[in-house]
Every structure is written in C-alpha cells, then in structure tokens.
Amino acid sequence: MHFRKQEASYVKRTIASSLLWAVLLASPGIAAADAAPGDVIVTLGENLTNEQKQKVLDEMKAPDGAQTITVSNVEEHKYLDGLIPKAQIGTRAISSSMITIKEPGSGLHVETHNITWVTKEMYTNALITAGVKDADIYITAPFPVSGTAALTGLMKAYEISSDQAIPDDVKKVANEEMVQTAKLADSIGADKAVALLAKIKQEIANNPPQTDADLRALIEKIANDLGITLSENEINNLISLFHKMQNAHINWDQVNDQLSKAKEQLSAFLQSEEGKTFIQNLIDIFKEIWNAIKSAFSSNQQSTTPTSLTLEVGACNSPEVRADFVLLP
C-alpha cells in the first residue's frame, strides 16, 4: 500500500512538471530570454562629444553594428546620491563601457582605462552582487574619471542583453558596495579592501549570519584573518551594507559561484606590486642570511670566537623584520 502511494505521488509530480513545461513552451513571453554568447552591448555617456564617442568606440574595438545605449547623468544620480558627494558624481555622464556575453561558466573579466578611483576588482565584486555573470567587460572614459558612474551603465546593458531586470534594491546595494570598497581602499589599500568584501560575501552566501552581532563578529574575524585593522566607523558601515544585502533580492548561490570563478581577480594581493615586493623581500632575506653564513665561515675558519650577525629588512610597510644569529665555528 505504501509503495502504491509513492507511485501515485510520482505520477502526479510528473504530470504537473509536464504541464508546466507545456505552458512555458507554448508561451515564450513567460520565460526570460538568456543572453547569447558573443552578444555585445556598448554603453556611452550621454554627454560625450561626437569626437569622444568615436574615441572610446575605437579604443574598445566595438564591433560594427553592436547595440549601443546611452546613460544619463540623471540615471547616475539615481543610484549614487547619498553615497558620494554630488560634486563627485558631477553633472555630465562620461564613463562608457562594453559588455560581451561569454559562455556559461566563464565568469566575469573586467578591464579598465582612465578610471582613477574604482578598480577592476571593485567593479567585479559589485557586478557579482548585482547578478551579472559570465561576461567580458571593458570600462573607459576619454579622460581620467573616478569611475563611480560606470556601474549604472553596465547594469543597464546587462538587463537589456539578458532580458532580466535587476531589482532596484540590488542596483542600489551594488553601487553602495562599490563606493564602500573604494573608500576602504583609501585607508587599507585596494587589494585588501576587495579581498575583505569578497570573503565576507562568500561567508554570508555559505552561512548567513542570523543577527547584527553575528555579522559584526564575522566582519571582525575576516578582517583579522586578512591582517586588516578597521575603525569602528568602517565596521558600522560594513554592517549597514551587508544588512542591506541580506534584505535585498540577491541570488546568493549565484554570487558564491561567480566569486569562485573570479577568485584570481579578487585575490590580487600576491599579483600586486606590494605582494611581489613582499615575496621578493623574503627571498632577499634568505639570500642575505645564506651569503652572510658562507662569508662568516670562510673568514673565521681558524677562529674560535663566535660571530654575531643581525639582519633587518622592511617589507610592505610592515614593522621591520629583524633576525639575530650567532655563528659558531
């Protein structure tokens, strides 16, 4: 009897599933269209001159016939007002971009030119929050700009290419994430700021904090793990940001997936000049130690007096590394 009930339940589920697919296939408008790999959309700031438009199009190597949309300064203010001073947003829409849809599973790859405040890793992090996935993105301007307005155009382009609306609350929190990360970068460095935000998001996706106290503890732990010291104001700003993220319509499974794919971009510290300098300094320490040991043994082969050796190395703006050795013959 129990088996027959299970069998009947399975038949009912199968019929329901078949009916659902039949409805979706019969009504194409109900199902959201997916962007096709290779699709290209260009966003141009509304206030670019004709000469400037051509300059950025040439620079981006935009294909002939690529779909082009404009982004207005009003749209920029809609998502940035209250996050940065109005003067920083400005009165003209200048930032431009090109988004190329890639194969599913490709992840996000971002490049920038003439963008002075927002790094490509910051864009990557914010775009992942907004639900943008599997695309090559190029962001530029005809002259140096902060880059805060470019995210608005990219989200608009992605909505058109994927035929999927990004909820306003998600757009706002993605912009706030970008701004908060850029502000943090001013005090702790861009790579550490990006790594901090990415790691916190990954932890939230895997194991969401239940209270603000849990969220605070998570932020402080990850900052400590990364060797980052945050002010109380910075911690409170992050709590506010991630609280908004938790309440927004964010697909956390997708966020986690895209973060994993973008790991190389978001863990840029070891590829940065600071990281390379740190590694090279460690190598130099051991070279100096070895050379000093060889030299000490060579010059004191017949001496019975212990030789003292002290090495001091400064690395990555950290307190000096000091090593004391006593060499015995």
Side-chain angles (χ1 to χ4, degrees), residues 46-60:
E46 190 177 55
N47 299 109
L48 292 173
T49 66
N50 289 332
E51 182 181 352
Q52 289 170 337
K53 286 179 184 177
Q54 193 56 53
K55 179 180 179 180
V56 297
L57 287 170
D58 291 342
E59 180 193 324
M60 293 188 289

Side-chain angles (χ1 to χ4, degrees), residues 85-289:
K86 289 182 181 291
Q88 188 173 346
I89 305 171
T91 58
R92 297 184 300 158
I94 299 297
S95 299
S96 302
S97 63
M98 182 172 74
I99 179 169
T100 304
I101 304 301
K102 307 299 288 185
E103 294 288 342
S106 300
L108 283 178
H109 300 276
V110 180
E111 294 297 332
T112 63
H113 175 250
N114 267 344
I115 305 298
T116 61
W117 196 45
V118 183
T119 68
K120 63 182 182 180
E121 292 84 9
M122 293 177 196
Y123 283 121
T124 301
N125 234 344
L127 287 165
I128 288 173
T129 296
V132 178
K133 60 181 180 178
D134 303 326
D136 285 346
I137 290 168
Y138 189 87
I139 304 162
T140 188
F143 47 83
V145 297
S146 67
T148 53
L151 185 61
T152 299
L154 285 168
M155 291 189 291
K156 184 177 180 180
Y158 189 76
E159 284 182 309
I160 292 172
S161 67
S162 65
D163 197 24
Q164 294 178 354
I166 300 173
D168 259 7
D169 59 346
V170 175
K171 289 180 182 177
K172 288 178 180 177
V173 81
N175 273 281
E176 183 170 347
E177 177 184 1
M178 175 186 68
V179 171
Q180 289 282 4
T181 311
K183 287 180 178 179
L184 270 176
D186 291 338
S187 61
I188 66 174
D191 293 332
K192 288 183 179 180
V194 169
L196 176 67
L197 271 289
K199 184 62 176 173
I200 294 171
K201 282 198 298 189
Q202 199 163 43
E203 289 298 321
I204 289 176
N206 290 323
N207 188 23
Q210 300 302 307
T211 66
D212 281 356
D214 292 339
L215 182 55
R216 172 183 284 272
L218 175 64
I219 292 169
E220 291 177 343
K221 179 184 182 303
I222 292 174
N224 184 64
D225 289 346
L226 294 174
I228 295 170
T229 301
L230 298 173
S231 69
E232 185 64 21
N233 186 54
E234 287 169 339
I235 293 173
N236 288 334
N237 286 338
L238 288 173
I239 290 173
S240 174
L241 170 65
F242 285 109
H243 188 64
K244 291 174 186 175
M245 279 192 189
Q246 287 181 291
N247 291 329
H249 298 84
I250 291 175
N251 183 337
W252 286 101
D253 288 337
Q254 181 175 301
V255 166
N256 201 13
D257 179 61
Q258 291 295 305
L259 281 172
S260 296
K261 290 182 173 62
K263 201 168 185 179
E264 289 184 6
Q265 287 198 62
L266 299 178
S267 301
F269 175 71
L270 291 180
Q271 298 302 318
S272 67
E273 286 306 312
E274 182 184 13
K276 289 176 183 176
T277 300
F278 177 76
I279 293 171
Q280 188 58 50
N281 280 340
L282 287 180
I283 294 172
D284 291 343
I285 288 174
F286 290 112
K287 281 184 178 179
E288 285 190 51
I289 292 173

